[in-house]
Structures are given as C-alpha cells and as structure tokens.
Amino acid sequence: MNMNLRKLIISLSSVVFGLLIGCLILILSGSNPLVLFESIYLSTFGQVSKFEYWLLYATLPLILTGLSVAFAYRCGIFNIGAEGQFQISSIITLAVAVSIVDLPFKGGAFIALIVGVIVGSLWALIPALLKAYFNIHEVVITIMLNWIAFYLSNYFIKTYLKGEYETTSLKISDSNLLTLNLESTDGFLSILLNMIIPIIIVLISVFVFWFIVNKTKFGYEIKAVGYSKSAAKYAGINEKKRIIQTMLISGAFAGLSGAIFTLSIAKLSVLASFVGYGFNGIAVAMLGQLNAVGVLFSSLLLGALSTSAAALENNNVNREISDIIIGLIILFSALGPIIYSKFSNKKGTKNE
Amino acid sequence: MNNIILLLTGSFLLAAPFIAAALGGLYSERSGVVNIGLEGMMTIGAFSGTTVMVLFDNTPFTVTLGILCACLAGMAFATLHAYLCVTLKMDQIISGVVINMVTLALSIYLCKMFFASNVTPLFSADSIQVISKINLVTIYVFVLAIITHFVINYTKWGLRVRAVGENPQAADAMGINVSKIRYQSVILSGAFAGFAGIILCLNIVTKFTPTTVSGAGFISLAVLIFGRHRPLNLIFAGLTFGFFKQLGIISMTSDIEFIPSVIFDILPYIITIIVIIIVSRGKNSEMESLGVAYDKELR
C-alpha cells in the first residue's frame, strides 16, 4: 500500500480510537460524551475570541514544538527537551522585548524573536554536544534541562521581570508584539489579519522543515543517521556533526515557538507545572507521523482538544479528559506502525 | 541548631521517596527497560493510596492499606509499560511519556469525580506512625535498599535480571526467558514507584494534589544515575538530593536569603548532568542493552 496513505490511515485511526476511549471514560463517569465535541466546536469556531485563542496560543506554538520534536526524531534523537527550550526562549524573549525601545516595523519584536530562536538553539546544544562527544543519551539530559529552565523562568518572573502582580511578569508594549492590534471589526477575518505575522512565520517553518528533510543532502544524511548511526558513519557521513546540527535546528524550532508565544500573549505567569507545549509537541510529531504537513494538521486538532478544556469545565466535565485523550493519541500513533507491520507480516507468511 | 536538626530530618523525609522510586527504576533498568514512567506511576500511586486512606481513615491498617493500594496502582501501569515495551517493542521513551501524561490527567480526573475537587481531603496525620520525627516508611525504604542490594547481587533471580540487561542474547541462549524476567522487573519497579508516590503524601503533605509529585519521578531518575544503578549508592544519592531540596525549603523561610532559592531548585539537576558526564567516561558495559527491545529473530 502507498506509504502516505498508510500513514494517513494510522493517524486517523489513532484519533478515532483516542476519542472513542475518551468518550468511554466520559460515559463511565456519568458524563455526556457529546459535550466533548460540543466543547471542541465552541472553543474553535464557536466564538471569535475562542477562535483567536485556539489558533494563536494553542496551535501556532504547538506546530513549532511539533516540528522540533519531529525534526530531531528523524535523526534518531528524542527531543523531550522541547519543553525546556520553549520555556527558556519564552523568558529571554520576554526580557528582550520589555527592555528594548519601540522600533518601527515591529523591529523590536523581530530582534526579540531572533534572540529567542538562538537561545532555544543553544539550550538544545547542551544535550547535542553530550550525545555526540560523550555518547550520553539525550533524554535524561533534556529532562534535567527542562526543570532547570522551568525554575529559572519562574524565578525571573518573580524577581527581575515582575509586573503588577506577584505572579505575572511585565507586559510587552503593543508595538513590540508580533500581533498587529488593528481596529477590530469583530470578525474571523480581522482576527486572522491580526495574527498574520505569526501565521506566516509558522508556514515558512513548515516549508523549511519539509524542504530540509525531503529536498537536501543534509536532510538525507540526518535520516540516514536516524536509521543507523554506524551505517551512516561507514557511508562517510560525519554523524557527530549531523547530530549537533539537527539538535541546533530542532532547538531553533522550539525556541521560535516560545518566542512567538511570548510575543503574542505579551506577558508570562509563574507556573505551577509545565505549560506542555513541548510534551504536546511529542504528541503532534507522532500523530503527524514526523511529517511537516502532518504536524500542521495534528496541531490544529490537538490544539483544539487542549483549548476545549475550559469549555469542558463549564459543562461540568473534568478538563483532564483532553489530556487523557492526547496521551492515548500518542500511544496509538506510536503503536500504529507496529500493529500494522505485525498484521502485514502475518499475511505475508500465509502467502508463502 | 534547630535549623540543623530540621535540615537533617527533612533530608531523610524528602530522600525516602526519591530512593524508593530510584530502586524501582533500578530493577527496570538493570533488566534493560528504560522507565521514564516512574513519575506517572508515582502519581497514580500517590492518588490511589491517598484515596484509600481517606476512605478508611483512622483505622489501625490505614497506612498499610494505602501503601498496598499505591503499589498495586503503580504495578498496573508498569504492566502496561512492560506490555508496550517488551511484547509490542514500542519505543520505551514514548511509552513512558504516555504513562506520565495519562496517569497525571487520570488521577486529577478521578479525584474531581470522587471528591469534587482536584485535591483529596486530608487524611489524619495520626495514621502515620512517628518515631522521633522520621516515620516508619522512611526506615522501610532504607531497609528495602539493603534488601535490593542482596537481591540484585546475590540471588539467582538478580543474576538473571543483570544478565538480561547486559546481554539478552547470551541470557536467552542459556535458557533464561528474557521477556519474563523483564516483565517481572518492570512490574516490580511499578510497585516501588507507587510506594514512592504514597511516601510523598505520608512524609510531606497528608493529601494528594496535582503537584504532589511534580518532578519527583524525574529526580528519582537522576538519583538512579547519580547512584550509578547500585542499590547502596542510591541511599547516598537520594540523601544528597533530599538535602538540597530541604536546604531550598529552609532558605525560603529563614535568614539565609542572600542565596536565591532558585539555586537550590536547580542544583540537583545541574549536579546530575555533571555526574552523568563523569560517569559516562568509564564504559558501563553492564547496561549495554538498556532501552533496546529484545528481538529473538535478530540473534
């Protein structure tokens, strides 16, 4: 069967099974499962403000962390650290954006954005160097770095970047935001226009991901390293260098995510636990089968699921159901290829 | 002086859950299965244990029941982890990530369902048997570490666990059932993680909240690496981490404010990274098949 069709079937059935089990849990706990779908609708197309929240705060950053995880995974690296790279980039972007003078043509926002990307990239460089030269598995290191980023970020919000209240940071001035703040005509179109810069940046990122992975020698080489490190080495690929470059790019995606998020939402709050863009990035990378366009559509869907939490709570359904479903969707999309190949192997042996 | 006593007792109380979960991780990882899901197994353990203790409060067997239930809950998800990683050969990291995500959400979901709040009610502190400020479960943990030392190093089963983790092909050739040993080890690790989860509630707060665990499972992974996967070293490693954590807590309330508390928050993680770098220079042959699913056909 066609590879892409197979991937699409696996992704779609993962979503269906995830939602089905979610509904089952809702029924077992005495809630109406239809509320889930109603909430998803209400928090996406139901209202203009919800639409903005869904696209700008839930989906766009998620696409970028998804690309980050997927890019690293193509090279056989598991970037659990997207969360930390997102976090550290957010806080540094904020620091730059609140301290920089207002420049014309969103100059301040773009400077902050570039700094954020570099910071995310450098945060990812630590596990990359350790993996390439000390052969240390990236997972443990990135988990540790996530927590360091988490505590540092909270600390900076509480001290140097403290705003009006104890738990929120200073606010970025409107001219240093990426969003346009146009005269609102209260329609979906004006909302889209308002966030046109983040949307364009994200679409360019999706294209860049696709182009690097599918159209360049570099992309071919990192995939080779991902399949087999030693085989790639014997084929003359400098696998250490590729690992480091891959992580730098992966970190840049996560950093861009944090920067765009911060430069749209204007201020950050002290967190009780991780925001989750990095972890949900794992979900969309898996669901999108590590494919740029797949990540884009998966993010729209999982972004809708995670923003529906508030609407669910309003309907007396516990919001955690959305996280449970997201977890199940990762599980099924990772299991899909395994089950598929088992199934087709059995068929193959029968034919012999 | 008071502060020093507080620091020492606090270190022991805080170290206990780290050591218990790290012991769990030790069984799993020595058998060759990475267990990132410790955090999640602790969460579900903490929640189910606390729930049972709230329901059967003020009875002579409250704590026992709570611990038992926590272990069982941890084991349930560990069984899932073993099934996904050993039988289906799924990526062990992804399995762990899923378990962490689902257990936390599920615990809060169920908590809201049972208690109409994301926090369980307090169970009475009388249920905890206190021996001079370090309660009994903390002592259990140290005993368990010593027992684990003997089990892993001096029993036939322990030898099998090590063999399966080191060289599953050779172990299989000697007639050891690789899958069976890995299942047993992973499920045992779930029991330890569940136990660690309920210790968090017993030693620190007498209830379950969404942030009860928040990161303790990952610190336990760090303890495991810091202790170089040796049971007795884990005691030392866990105490070090407990010490820093307690130092951070005390620094927030007392007069050593000139050191920002964030230093104590991030220090354990920085130390872990440094230790991993140091440890990695010596080749660790006994953990060679860690994270790799065993495929008989590739022998």
Side-chain angles (χ1 to χ4, degrees):
Chain A
M1 202 196 294
N2 184 316
M3 257 316 249
N4 286 329
L5 185 64
R6 188 182 115 179
K7 284 181 177 170
L8 189 65
I9 291 175
I10 290 174
S11 296
L12 288 177
S13 39
S14 308
V15 173
V16 170
F17 279 117
L19 286 172
L20 270 180
I21 297 186
C23 288
L24 199 69
I25 295 174
L26 286 178
I27 294 170
L28 286 177
S29 52
S31 308
N32 181 359
L34 290 178
V35 170
L36 177 65
F37 300 99
E38 194 198 329
S39 304
I40 291 175
Y41 172 75
L42 281 179
S43 43
T44 51
F45 296 102
Q47 226 179 328
V48 178
S49 62
K50 296 281 160 65
F51 178 73
E52 179 181 19
Y53 192 92
W54 167 51
L55 224 53
L56 189 57
Y57 303 135
T59 304
L60 293 181
L62 192 55
I63 294 174
L64 293 168
T65 49
L67 292 179
S68 167
V69 175
F71 196 82
Y73 207 85
R74 283 293 180 101
C75 187
I77 305 168
F78 202 101
N79 187 12
I80 290 199
E83 188 74 43
Q85 291 141 22
F86 175 95
Q87 198 93 52
I88 204 81
S89 152
S90 299
I91 194 75
I92 303 288
T93 305
L94 180 87
V96 174
V98 292
S99 45
I100 208 163
V101 286
D102 294 358
L103 294 170
F105 304 113
K106 299 282 176 198
F110 280 109
I111 291 173
L113 185 88
I114 291 165
V115 173
V117 172
I118 293 171
V119 167
S121 216
L122 290 177
W123 203 247
L125 182 64
I126 303 168
L129 289 173
L130 293 178
K131 186 180 174 77
Y133 293 107
F134 291 89
N135 205 16
I136 297 172
H137 203 286
E138 67 281 5
V139 165
V140 180
I141 300 287
T142 48
I143 287 175
M144 299 302 139
L145 286 172
N146 282 349
W147 286 97
I148 294 175
F150 174 79
Y151 284 118
L152 282 179
S153 159
N154 272 356
Y155 177 69
F156 285 129
I157 295 172
K158 277 188 280 193
T159 53
Y160 303 111
L161 298 169
K162 192 163 86 78
E164 250 180 286
Y165 305 102
E166 274 302 313
T167 54
T168 51
S169 71
L170 292 167
K171 203 166 176 289
I172 303 171
S173 68
D174 282 351
S175 60
N176 280 347
L177 289 178
L178 281 177
T179 44
L180 294 179
N181 278 319
L182 299 167
E183 286 295 310
S184 175
T185 46
D186 281 339
F188 288 104
L189 209 66
S190 74
I191 291 288
L192 277 175
L193 201 64
N194 197 24
M195 55 172 107
I196 193 74
I197 301 176
I199 289 179
I200 290 172
I201 295 174
V202 168
L203 289 180
I204 292 174
S205 307
V206 170
F207 175 77
V208 167
F209 179 104
W210 172 84
F211 188 79
I212 295 178
V213 169
N214 294 312
K215 297 288 165 200
T216 63
K217 183 170 163 244
F218 173 68
Y220 176 78
E221 291 187 352
I222 66 161
K223 282 187 281 183
V225 175
Y227 282 124
S228 166
K229 228 161 128 182
S230 45
K233 195 176 171 183
Y234 290 125
I237 297 170
N238 185 343
E239 94 284 5
K240 287 186 168 53
K241 220 169 158 183
R242 294 292 166 268
I243 287 171
I244 292 169
Q245 288 162 335
T246 304
M247 269 311 262
L248 281 174
I249 296 174
S250 174
F253 278 128
L256 184 60
S257 174
I260 280 192
F261 175 76
T262 310
L263 293 169
S264 322
I265 204 158
K267 62 179 176 187
L268 300 171
S269 313
V270 174
L271 299 165
S273 58
F274 284 115
V275 260
Y277 286 105
F279 297 129
N280 285 346
I282 300 170
V284 293
M286 291 299 140
L287 180 59
Q289 304 285 331
L290 309 178
N291 179 310
V293 182
V295 167
L296 180 79
F297 285 105
S298 310
S299 302
L300 285 167
L301 184 82
L302 293 198
L305 251 175
S306 58
T307 42
S308 70
L312 283 167
E313 204 84 336
N314 286 340
N315 279 315
N316 294 321
V317 172
N318 298 335
R319 64 192 305 157
E320 282 69 31
I321 191 72
S322 66
D323 276 346
I324 296 178
I325 295 173
I326 292 174
L328 290 169
I329 288 177
I330 312 182
L331 175 67
F332 292 130
S333 23
L335 273 183
I338 298 170
I339 293 171
Y340 188 91
S341 68
K342 272 201 171 165
F343 180 67
S344 50
N345 273 350
K346 265 183 198 152
K347 256 186 9 196
T349 44
K350 261 180 206 164
N351 288 343
E352 277 169 14
Chain B
M1 190 62 207
N2 242 344
N3 266 348
I4 292 173
I5 293 172
L6 197 65
L7 182 62
L8 290 179
T9 50
S11 309
F12 272 90
L13 292 180
L14 290 170
F18 298 154
I19 297 171
L23 285 171
L26 185 138
Y27 281 105
S28 174
E29 302 212 339
R30 287 299 283 266
S31 83
V33 181
V34 176
N35 196 349
I36 297 272
L38 282 179
E39 169 96 3
M41 294 169 196
M42 283 174 84
T43 310
I44 200 79
F47 168 70
S48 2
T50 312
T51 306
V52 170
M53 289 181 66
V54 169
L55 294 177
F56 298 92
D57 207 357
N58 286 320
T59 61
F61 47 82
T62 303
V63 175
T64 321
L65 212 59
I67 291 175
L68 202 69
C69 200
C71 291
L72 285 175
M75 284 162 86
F77 277 90
T79 313
L80 175 70
H81 187 58
Y83 177 71
L84 294 174
C85 299
V86 179
T87 307
L88 295 180
K89 302 184 176 70
M90 196 173 117
D91 188 316
Q92 299 175 359
I93 308 289
I94 297 180
S95 170
V97 168
V98 169
I99 286 175
N100 287 339
M101 207 165 182
V102 170
T103 45
L104 180 63
L106 192 67
S107 299
I108 303 172
Y109 186 88
L110 292 174
C111 188
K112 282 181 177 168
M113 212 170 101
F114 294 150
F115 304 110
S117 153
N118 62 359
V119 178
T120 62
L122 294 161
F123 52 80
S124 61
D126 299 342
S127 312
I128 311 164
Q129 300 122 359
V130 178
I131 301 177
S132 64
K133 290 198 174 163
I134 297 176
N135 61 49
L136 208 54
V137 282
T138 309
I139 295 166
Y140 288 159
V141 172
F142 291 93
V143 174
L144 279 172
I146 295 164
I147 293 175
T148 301
H149 172 71
F150 285 102
V151 168
I152 286 288
N153 293 315
Y154 301 107
T155 66
K156 201 167 144 189
W157 185 75
L159 179 68
R160 288 182 171 174
V161 170
R162 284 183 288 141
V164 161
E166 197 173 321
N167 192 338
Q169 286 81 9
D172 191 17
M174 298 218 329
I176 298 172
N177 187 339
V178 175
S179 300
K180 193 172 133 197
I181 297 287
R182 285 192 170 172
Y183 258 89
Q184 289 167 342
S185 308
V186 173
I187 293 172
L188 192 59
S189 96
F192 272 91
F195 181 44
I198 192 70
I199 300 174
L200 280 174
C201 299
L202 291 170
N203 277 6
I204 298 154
V205 280
T206 54
K207 62 180 175 183
F208 170 83
T209 72
T211 54
T212 296
V213 179
S214 80
F218 294 122
I219 294 200
S220 307
L221 279 179
V223 168
L224 182 60
I225 295 164
F226 191 31
R228 299 197 65 178
H229 292 81
R230 301 280 192 290
L232 295 181
N233 289 359
L234 292 188
I235 297 179
F236 170 73
L239 282 174
T240 311
F241 281 56
F243 177 78
F244 280 116
K245 190 146 191 202
Q246 179 68 1
L247 210 56
I249 294 171
I250 291 178
S251 79
M252 269 190 286
T253 54
S254 65
D255 41 332
I256 43 171
E257 267 167 6
F258 57 91
I259 306 172
S261 67
V262 69
I263 300 288
F264 299 108
D265 285 330
I266 63 176
L267 208 54
Y269 301 105
I270 294 177
I271 293 174
T272 306
I273 293 177
I274 294 169
V275 168
I276 294 173
I277 296 170
I278 296 167
V279 168
S280 76
R281 307 198 76 142
K283 205 163 155 32
N284 202 355
S285 71
E286 57 191 20
M287 305 288 289
E288 231 157 41
S289 329
L290 185 60
V292 186
Y294 175 57
D295 195 339
K296 234 179 170 151
E297 285 157 23
L298 293 179
R299 194 158 63 167

